[in-house]
Amino acid sequence: QVQLVESGGGLVQAGGSLRLSCVTSVSTFSSYYMGWFRQAPGKEREFVAAINWSGSSTYYGDSVKGRFTISRDNAKNTVYLEMNTLKPEDTAVYYCTARAGGFGAWPYWGQGTQVTVSS
């Protein structure tokens, strides 16, 4: 069983920054792809970013490219999402997710952390 716990959400003004963290319980963290998704009220869940096992490859949704950075620390079983130049449309619940392979569905999800960006 893979448990994911997000933290770091909160209220920030437009143009500000936040860093989300996601700690996992899995002992083989370095063998998992990690990702972030978000869901705003009334909208579908949206892909934000993903990172491969070693951190050498990262992927971003179009709406966050150039503003968000995903990274991981395999020694701490933690993945991060650095969010800069935040916009009101970034307001959403942000979810950490994990999968064992490089492709396919994301079977493991955290409970989410709220990010609210005020204008």
Side-chain angles (χ1 to χ4, degrees):
Q1 182 73 13
V2 177
Q3 293 185 331
L4 308 171
V5 180
E6 304 98 332
S7 63
L11 174 64
V12 63
Q13 289 189 332
S17 299
L18 279 176
R19 188 176 81 155
L20 305 183
S21 300
C22 172
V23 180
T24 73
S25 63
V26 64
S27 60
T28 56
F29 176 71
S30 61
S31 66
Y32 284 80
Y33 261 67
M34 300 299 297
W36 290 94
F37 283 72
R38 67 186 182 186
Q39 188 166 22
K43 295 189 177 181
E44 293 187 353
R45 190 167 291 187
E46 175 190 16
F47 170 74
V48 174
I51 189 167
N52 73 341
W53 304 288
S54 65
S56 60
S57 295
T58 56
Y59 313 88
Y60 296 95
D62 288 341
S63 61
V64 306
K65 281 180 182 176
R67 300 188 298 121
F68 290 12
T69 302
I70 189 171
S71 62
R72 65 190 296 160
D73 185 338
N74 286 346
K76 295 183 178 180
N77 280 19
T78 302
V79 62
Y80 304 98
L81 185 68
E82 183 75 34
M83 306 185 294
N84 297 314
T85 320
L86 283 162
K87 306 175 182 179
E89 51 264 43
D90 293 318
T91 295
V93 177
Y94 283 71
Y95 297 91
C96 177
T97 185
R99 67 183 183 207
F103 302 94
W106 296 87
Y108 307 109
W109 294 84
Q111 83 288 348
T113 186
Q114 177 70 47
V115 171
T116 303
V117 184
S118 63
S119 57

